[in-house]
Every structure is written in C-alpha cells, then in structure tokens.
Amino acid sequence: MMINTVLEEIYRTEKVLDPEGTPKDAFPVSLSRSDGEALYDVVTHTNGSRTLEVGLAYGISALHILQALQDNGGGAHTAVDPYQQKWWNGIGVLNVKRAGLQDIFRCFVEPSYMVLPRLLGDKERYDFIFIDGNHRFEFSLLDFFYTDRLLQTGGRIMLHDTWMPSIRKLFSFIDTNRRGCYRLDTRFCGGNRTGSDRWRAFAQALKASPLDIHAARLYAAHYFHNYIVLEKIQEHDPEKIDAEWNFYAAF
Ligand SMILES: C[S@@+](CC[C@H](N)C(=O)[O-])C[C@H]1O[C@@H](n2cnc3c(N)ncnc32)[C@H](O)[C@@H]1O
C-alpha cells in the first residue's frame, strides 16, 4: 500500500498537529493502521471515483480514502462532520491540505442527517461510503438509509466499529430487511467462525446487549475484525418492494 507522509507521521508519533502546531493525541478517535489499510484496500478494489464518509474527526480515514483515489487515478471525496471545528479544531481538513489532497476533497460541517438527504436530492451517487459518525443506533440507521440510496449498484459500504451493539444491530437490520440487496464481502472482513470461537463471540455480544439474539448470532458467525464491508448487488426501492404495506421483519 502507498501511504502518504502525513499519515506515516501520524502513525509514527500517534499525534496530530493543530493549526498552531500543537500536538494532540490522534487515538483512540482515529482509525488504527490496520483498519486504515483495510479501508485503503476496499477503496482501491472498488475502483470507483466518488467516495463519501460520515465522521471526519482528524481526517485519518479521509487520508486513506483520498490516497486510494489518487492511486486509482483520481476522483472526489466528500466528508461530513458537524464537529470539525468545535471538537477537532479543523485538523481533519488541515491534514488533507497538508497531504496536498485538497483539490479532490470537500467537507460539510453539518450533521449527516441533514447533509445526506441533500446529496440525494442533488442526485449525487457514490461508489464507496464509509460510515463512522455518530454510532448511536438511530443515527447509524439513518446513515445507512441514505447510503442505501446514494450508493451505486456494485459499490461498497464499510461500517466501522463492530464491537458496538448499535453497529451489530444495524448489520442485523440490513441482513433481515435488505436481503438480496447486499453481499457480505468476505475478501475484506471475516471468514466464518466455528466451534468454541463462535460460542465465545456469541456470549460476548449477548453480554453487551442481552436481547439482541439475531444480531449476536450474525456477529458470532463471522470474523468481522472491527468493520463490515458490504457490496451492493441490487437496488432496493422501498416504495416498490414485494412485501405487504405493513411489512415488518424483526431484526
Ligand atoms: C470515530 S470518529 C471518526 C474517526 C474518523 N473516521 C477517522 O478514523 O479518522 C466519529 C466522528 O463522527 C462525528 N459525528 C458525530 N455526530 C455526527 C453526525 N451527526 N454526523 C456526522 N458526523 C458525526 C464526530 O464529530 C467524530 O468526528
């Protein structure tokens, strides 16, 4: 993998620099090096040119995505983060500039639940979307709801932080309510867990959220590392589904 010098420096020092050059801890908020490398691989493999991410923070995931786009021959990356100034002191946007990648980057400093519907209204479409914003269930579900409509068929989604019950629950929703529209991309996440490993993961997931049995079973079935990669194989039109008007599948 080609890693740019700004990223290399951040992983070496575990710090990011604010506009005055004062170091701040880059972790735990930022993507680990191995998750970043996986992100880079997914974007390069998807071979698309339009990418979107929810949750910019210090720009570590953005730098991986932008580097992948550049190595693929170019593209355009959009990031969304309402707290880019308030919490992160503009460091995410600054890091993109430091890496010289600002020409293929834009950032909306607003919540994703306001920006994504607007992008949809503007008929934007993306080849890859990274969801790593507000991890509470309803926020993640909304991010997925719009992602589902913004993503081209053949595109990929990466959901970060599978250790969180809310993200496991979101995957459980996708599995039960978008069956046939998404395929788990096992090249990037998980083979199948077996035997005691599976039971251990099941018990661990149930301990974190005791009533989420389906989500725990799904989680325990695969080695997810810390992310789920899904390939969109079919468009889903909620107005034209085969199901009854009062369709509901528990998840
Ligand atoms: C775990 S951090 C993202 C880390 C980043 N992806 C990286 O690895 O470099 C989560 C981010 O989500 C942002 N966030 C919180 N609520 C949000 C919302 N409603 N819409 C978009 N982003 C949100 C936070 O400001 C924070 O920067």
Side-chain angles (χ1 to χ4, degrees):
M1 148 184 195
M2 279 277 304
I3 190 167
N4 62 59
T5 49
V6 177
L7 268 180
E8 201 54 83
E9 192 60 10
I10 293 168
Y11 283 122
R12 194 182 63 76
T13 59
E14 302 190 350
K15 303 279 179 200
V16 288
L17 300 178
D18 76 4
E20 284 75 46
T22 310
K24 309 252 174 225
D25 288 337
F27 303 96
V29 70
S30 305
L31 219 57
S32 68
R33 187 186 269 266
S34 59
D35 288 4
E37 285 173 358
L39 176 59
Y40 175 92
D41 284 345
V42 177
V43 180
T44 358
H45 192 89
T46 303
N47 202 17
S49 57
R50 295 151 306 171
T51 55
L52 171 69
E53 80 178 306
V54 177
L56 176 68
Y58 291 140
I60 311 305
S61 47
L63 286 173
H64 283 96
I65 295 170
L66 283 159
Q67 189 63 51
L69 285 179
Q70 205 183 44
D71 295 349
N72 267 3
H77 181 54
T78 302
V80 183
D81 197 318
Y83 305 116
Q84 177 54 204
Q85 284 304 329
K86 193 173 167 191
W87 290 356
W88 313 110
N89 209 356
I91 294 173
V93 174
L94 194 58
N95 276 336
V96 171
K97 281 196 190 124
R98 283 171 176 144
L101 294 162
Q102 70 278 7
D103 289 347
I104 55 169
F105 176 75
R106 66 178 169 170
C107 176
F108 292 100
V109 185
E110 289 168 83
S112 56
Y113 57 80
M114 302 199 57
V115 178
L116 303 192
R118 218 164 55 227
L119 297 177
L120 186 64
D122 290 345
K123 301 204 175 348
E124 298 224 359
R125 300 288 269 174
Y126 296 91
D127 306 298
F128 173 77
I129 300 180
F130 183 54
I131 301 182
D132 191 24
N134 187 322
H135 289 67
R136 292 190 187 92
F137 178 72
E138 66 273 33
F139 288 82
S140 307
L141 182 66
L142 274 180
D143 286 342
F144 171 75
F145 182 89
Y146 286 105
T147 287
D148 190 21
R149 283 152 186 74
L150 287 162
L151 194 73
Q152 293 280 27
T153 305
R156 287 187 176 80
I157 307 176
M158 189 162 173
L159 308 174
H160 197 238
D161 291 320
T162 46
W163 62 274
M164 298 184 76
S166 58
I167 303 304
R168 294 174 190 163
K169 192 74 174 165
L170 173 59
F171 179 51
S172 180
F173 171 82
I174 300 169
D175 181 69
T176 48
N177 286 270
R178 292 293 182 275
R179 184 146 294 168
C181 295
Y182 288 90
R183 189 176 67 80
L184 194 63
D185 203 331
T186 45
R187 248 169 313 188
F188 301 108
C189 63
N192 292 338
R193 278 188 217 258
T194 51
S196 58
D197 236 9
R198 197 165 180 154
W199 281 108
R200 240 194 318 275
F202 182 61
Q204 182 201 6
L206 270 192
K207 193 171 166 212
S209 183
L211 294 177
D212 284 331
I213 296 188
H214 184 70
R217 274 183 44 218
L218 264 180
Y219 172 73
H222 310 276
Y223 285 107
F224 279 126
H225 312 299
N226 197 22
Y227 45 84
I228 293 172
V229 180
L230 297 164
E231 184 183 355
K232 184 172 182 176
I233 51 178
Q234 194 181 307
E235 206 59 60
H236 169 85
D237 182 345
E239 310 302 335
K240 286 191 195 146
I241 49 176
D242 289 331
E244 297 296 319
W245 65 273
N246 56 354
F247 172 79
Y248 174 77
F251 57 95

